[in-house]
Amino acid sequence: MTRLEQFVEGVLRLVATASLVVLFVLILINVVARSFELAGFAWFDEVVRGCFAYMVFFGAAALWIRRDHFQVDWLELSLPGQRSKWLLRSFVAILSLGFFYVMTWYGYVLFYKANALTPILQIQERIFYAAIPISGAVMALHSTFTLFVETKEQFTSGDLAK
């Protein structure tokens, strides 16, 4: 993994982890406050929604970069020869790229069109939606880079002849 990938993955992981911690603390405070009838927080839902979006999308992108996401590799392991495995991985990578580019595009459209403000805190909704095109772009760029690097390595090593 290159230094840039490590840096981006670290930032994504940091944001996802911070979002999880904020979610945990807010939910704990909300449960305690409601249990003892101390207070209700009208802004609670707005912050939870934003933190959840960043935790999910940035966490998914960090996992994608590290290849720590759930994957079923039964078919790849059952295929004979390096060439068939490379063809399968390339096909899956191209399908993934298509999904990531669509996700990035429509995430950007959603981000661009979101002009509303949240009711209580008056935060622009687009701030919450920004997690979608950012994480999609990161995953698409990483997948594109990985596809070309692995293809080049396969051709130069001669593994595809097997």
Side-chain angles (χ1 to χ4, degrees):
M1 197 180 324
T2 66
R3 286 185 182 213
L4 178 60
E5 284 178 315
Q6 289 174 343
F7 175 75
V8 170
E9 187 267 334
V11 170
L12 292 169
R13 191 176 292 264
L14 178 69
V15 172
T17 303
S19 296
L20 177 64
V21 169
V22 169
L23 280 170
F24 178 77
V25 169
L26 282 177
I27 291 172
L28 179 67
I29 290 170
N30 194 37
V31 167
V32 170
R34 286 180 181 232
S35 295
F36 295 109
E37 297 179 12
L38 300 173
F41 305 109
W43 50 266
F44 178 77
D45 292 339
E46 296 173 9
V47 176
V48 166
R49 186 172 37 144
C51 287
F52 192 75
Y54 278 90
M55 180 189 71
V56 168
F57 285 104
F58 279 26
L63 289 172
W64 188 258
I65 290 173
R66 290 183 62 119
R67 294 184 183 199
D68 281 344
H69 54 83
F70 175 77
Q71 52 187 330
V72 178
D73 58 357
W74 167 81
L75 183 58
E76 182 180 346
L77 294 175
S78 66
L79 289 174
Q82 292 299 317
R83 182 180 199 138
S84 58
K85 292 178 183 185
W86 173 80
L87 285 170
L88 177 66
R89 281 194 307 268
S90 298
F91 177 70
V92 170
I94 291 167
L95 287 178
S96 299
L97 276 171
F99 172 78
F100 293 142
Y101 286 123
V102 168
M103 179 178 124
T104 303
W105 174 254
Y106 284 105
Y108 175 75
V109 169
L110 179 64
F111 167 79
Y112 183 74
K113 289 183 177 183
N115 294 320
L117 298 174
T118 59
I120 307 299
L121 295 177
Q122 296 294 299
I123 299 171
Q124 287 190 342
E125 291 279 343
R126 68 175 41 183
I127 291 173
F128 300 149
Y129 298 140
I132 301 168
I134 292 171
S135 63
V138 167
M139 289 188 278
L141 290 172
H142 173 73
S143 295
T144 303
F145 176 75
T146 302
L147 180 64
F148 286 117
V149 167
E150 286 183 358
T151 300
K152 180 182 174 190
E153 288 174 358
Q154 292 288 328
F155 276 110
T156 57
S157 69
D159 286 343
L160 294 181
K162 297 177 183 177

